[in-house]
Amino acid sequence: MSFENDLHDWHIDGVMLAPSEITLFLHLYEARKRIRLGGATRCLLNDFLVQNIIYEAKIVSADEQPELHGAEVARLEASYPASLSGTAPNILTISASVGLEGAIEFRDLEVIDL
């Protein structure tokens, strides 16, 4: 799965959790996006602050980046074992310039420009 949106310097304004779905709300100046991650099985988000600026966001899959995917799965396993939720094939990783960092395991991705 490719992720062609460069989210460097975008701000994460909010996160909405629903059963098997996580939605991120983002903005950069006047532009706004909503990223919906369907079939979410595990989520680890740390350091959510008043200001959250993305340094890098990328999708990691076992097929394309097996070593990085394994490291992200291990990070999720430390907090949320798969035996409690199952697994999904993709992981969205977020590293921050400021604030929120994390990993979200999911099946489907939808990026909506608002």
Side-chain angles (χ1 to χ4, degrees):
M1 173 179 286
S2 65
F3 188 59
E4 308 210 359
N5 289 282
D6 179 10
L7 297 177
H8 179 71
D9 285 341
W10 281 72
H11 294 239
I12 301 173
D13 299 321
V15 177
M16 184 173 71
L17 305 174
S20 299
E21 184 175 295
I22 297 170
T23 304
L24 303 173
F25 298 90
L26 312 171
H27 86 273
L28 180 65
Y29 304 110
E30 300 302 317
R32 299 199 175 279
K33 290 186 185 289
R34 184 173 65 209
I35 298 176
R36 188 191 65 74
L37 303 158
T41 51
R42 296 187 285 180
C43 172
L44 178 62
L45 301 175
N46 296 313
D47 299 327
F48 193 81
L49 303 173
V50 171
Q51 185 178 36
N52 302 284
I53 303 172
I54 297 171
Y55 177 74
E56 181 180 43
K58 61 184 169 185
I59 294 177
V60 179
S61 71
D63 294 337
E64 295 176 16
Q65 298 147 317
E67 289 181 22
L68 182 55
H69 186 269
E72 292 299 326
V73 166
R75 183 163 68 139
L76 286 165
E77 283 284 327
S79 293
Y80 201 154
S83 61
L84 299 176
S85 65
T87 62
N90 304 299
I91 298 173
L92 173 66
T93 65
I94 300 170
S95 59
S97 295
V98 175
L100 184 136
E101 295 198 336
I104 303 170
E105 195 174 55
F106 69 98
R107 288 191 191 339
D108 307 306
L109 170 79
E110 180 181 22
V111 179
I112 301 162
D113 292 318
L114 302 173

